[in-house]
Amino acid sequence: MSPRIESGQLCTVEPVDPRDIRPGDIVLCKVRGTEYLHFVKSVQDGRFQIGNNRGHINGWIGHNAVFGRLVKVEP
């Protein structure tokens, strides 16, 4: 399975209220000091379980680690 977003593709991320983030959204977030685009797999008590498109779960992050939601990917 290939990634949904290829390296080098232009991505547009917009600010988002953490209360509006739902499972299935793709968010720009900081994990251990590095910024990534990740799927939101689950939402619970103001935190987000993030993972990739291959089914791997990376863990939980707080709302303060989320910078925005992906809204567009250029080809």
Side-chain angles (χ1 to χ4, degrees):
M1 178 182 287
S2 63
R4 289 189 176 203
I5 302 169
E6 298 291 337
S7 180
Q9 285 185 285
L10 180 63
C11 298
T12 303
V13 176
E14 292 183 347
V16 62
D17 185 320
R19 295 173 292 193
D20 294 333
I21 296 173
R22 302 284 179 258
D25 286 347
I26 298 174
V27 295
L28 177 64
C29 57
K30 185 176 267 191
V31 180
R32 292 187 210 103
T34 304
E35 295 160 3
Y36 298 98
L37 287 171
H38 272 297
F39 275 109
V40 174
K41 300 292 189 168
S42 181
V43 178
Q44 182 183 61
D45 300 325
R47 10 178 246 157
F48 308 97
Q49 186 181 55
I50 56 171
N52 63 28
N53 68 325
R54 294 183 181 126
H56 179 76
I57 301 298
N58 293 85
W60 291 91
I61 59 171
H63 67 87
N64 57 335
V66 176
F67 302 120
R69 179 172 37 207
L70 180 71
V71 295
K72 185 177 182 182
V73 179
E74 298 290 333

